[in-house]
Amino acid sequence: MDSESKRDWKEGSGLDYFRDPHYPYSDTISIQDFFRAKYTLQVELVKLQNWIVERGLKVLCIFEGRDTAGKGSTIQCFTEHLNPRGARVVALDKPSTRERGQWYFQRYVKHLPAAGEIVFFDRSWYNRAGVEKVMGFCSQEEYWQFVKHVPLFENMLAETGTQIFKFYLSISKEEQALRLHERVVNPLKSWKFSLVDQEAQGRWDAYTDAKEETFRRTDTANAPWTIIKADDRLRARLEAIRSVLTRIDYPDKCVDEIGEVDSDLVAVANHIYRPLP
């Protein structure tokens, strides 16, 4: 990528840069460059899926982020050319009365990948650590139980053969405001706008605190968090795919075609948010 298109950020450079809202590129990626890179990466995704099916592997990709961060569209970029018999998207509605009386993780368990599957969660059990905590939809006791139990739950999944990718798509407050406005004025996106969306800007700092505490308490060796700066939606989609492809070996993998993950856009959470003792 052209280094001249990057902003000169002196304050908060390096890994600390991921703790502030600035974006390293002053321009968006061109449509031509995006489609060219997307095609190459999607070809590699098809190879990867064939390997997953052949070996009976289980892969779980969790996408989290503030409202309008681009979770759904990033998942769509993953699944566009995958075989739907082995790739599923899970986007659960709010829990029913019956589900609220169950073990918290219970409604998610039935959607986990079986052998030979990739499953994409558009939001996940981390609702409890984000929107539920910030909006008061769960009690403090329920929250603390969650952050205590989730590393144990994810370790059990990993130790029984599920490879877990956890992505947090990070956007600036200004970018979120633009995207929320788009949801209001665009009739094709109006269904996305909700009461929670209305509170997103006013509770920005609370969501920031919740996000950082989640990283510190739930980032583990078996299920690490990957942060992707996503003010440029197209670049974020490409970097998410690269992050998966670079972490799994499969036959006929074209490393040079995949390229390197952009370290100005992608970081491992525990390099920035040290785990709590």
Side-chain angles (χ1 to χ4, degrees):
M1 296 182 181
D2 184 359
S3 60
E4 292 183 359
S5 69
K6 295 184 181 181
R7 293 174 180 162
D8 178 20
W9 76 88
K10 295 182 180 179
E11 297 297 328
S13 61
L15 289 175
D16 285 342
Y17 174 72
F18 283 82
R19 304 186 70 163
D20 67 47
H22 297 296
Y23 192 77
Y25 295 96
S26 58
D27 60 348
T28 57
I29 187 172
S30 73
I31 294 297
Q32 294 84 355
D33 287 345
F34 169 71
F35 277 103
R36 189 180 302 114
K38 185 180 79 158
Y39 174 81
T40 299
L41 295 176
Q42 288 178 333
V43 168
E44 293 299 311
L45 278 175
V46 171
K47 294 181 191 177
L48 173 60
Q49 185 184 33
N50 291 338
W51 178 241
I52 289 169
V53 172
E54 180 181 336
R55 293 295 301 273
L57 305 179
K58 296 177 287 187
V59 177
L60 174 63
C61 297
I62 291 172
F63 288 84
E64 294 289 343
R66 299 178 193 264
D67 295 316
T68 76
K71 300 175 288 296
S73 56
T74 301
I75 291 171
Q76 187 176 27
C77 196
F78 271 87
T79 61
E80 188 174 9
H81 295 290
L82 295 182
N83 185 338
R85 289 193 294 272
R88 293 187 289 112
V89 179
V90 178
L92 300 183
D93 200 353
K94 62 182 180 181
S96 66
T97 300
R98 184 174 186 276
E99 288 171 332
R100 286 196 294 270
Q102 296 175 341
W103 174 49
Y104 179 72
F105 296 98
Q106 189 166 337
R107 75 187 191 120
Y108 296 101
V109 168
K110 61 185 177 183
H111 298 287
L112 293 172
E117 280 191 324
I118 312 174
V119 172
F120 300 88
F121 273 70
D122 185 346
R123 294 198 182 275
S124 66
W125 42 82
Y126 282 100
N127 276 335
R128 175 134 296 176
V131 64
E132 290 188 22
K133 181 178 188 292
V134 172
M135 297 295 292
F137 296 156
C138 69
S139 67
Q140 283 296 307
E141 180 182 1
E142 289 171 328
Y143 169 76
W144 289 114
Q145 284 180 349
F146 171 80
V147 293
K148 176 183 177 181
H149 293 160
V150 70
L152 303 175
F153 175 65
E154 291 175 348
N155 283 338
M156 284 191 292
L157 294 180
E159 289 170 2
T160 53
T162 299
Q163 184 157 0
I164 303 171
F165 296 87
K166 297 190 302 194
F167 292 104
Y168 187 91
L169 303 183
S170 179
I171 57 174
S172 65
K173 188 174 184 179
E174 293 74 18
E175 180 64 22
Q176 187 192 52
L178 291 173
R179 296 184 188 184
L180 287 171
H181 178 69
E182 184 181 10
R183 287 187 176 183
V184 173
V185 300
N186 186 341
L188 296 178
K189 295 187 176 183
S190 59
W191 62 271
K192 294 183 177 183
F193 195 74
S194 68
L195 175 63
V196 172
D197 288 339
Q198 294 178 32
E199 298 287 336
Q201 290 272 289
R203 298 179 186 247
W204 181 270
D205 291 341
Y207 274 109
T208 298
D209 292 343
K211 170 191 71 175
E212 295 183 357
E213 189 167 26
T214 296
F215 293 150
R216 292 190 178 100
R217 294 186 180 277
T218 67
D219 186 277
T220 65
N222 282 332
W225 280 103
T226 299
I227 303 169
I228 301 179
K229 280 189 168 288
D231 273 14
D232 184 339
R233 310 176 204 227
L234 302 187
R235 279 193 174 101
R237 295 170 195 174
L238 298 178
E239 294 306 321
I241 296 175
R242 281 197 185 96
S243 295
V244 170
L245 293 174
T246 56
R247 285 168 56 186
I248 303 180
D249 290 326
Y250 52 91
D252 301 320
K253 181 176 179 177
C254 295
V255 176
D256 291 340
E257 293 292 324
I258 294 169
E260 295 184 357
V261 172
D262 188 341
S263 60
D264 290 326
L265 295 179
V266 183
V268 180
N270 69 7
H271 287 177
I272 308 164
Y273 303 97
R274 296 300 180 186
L276 294 174

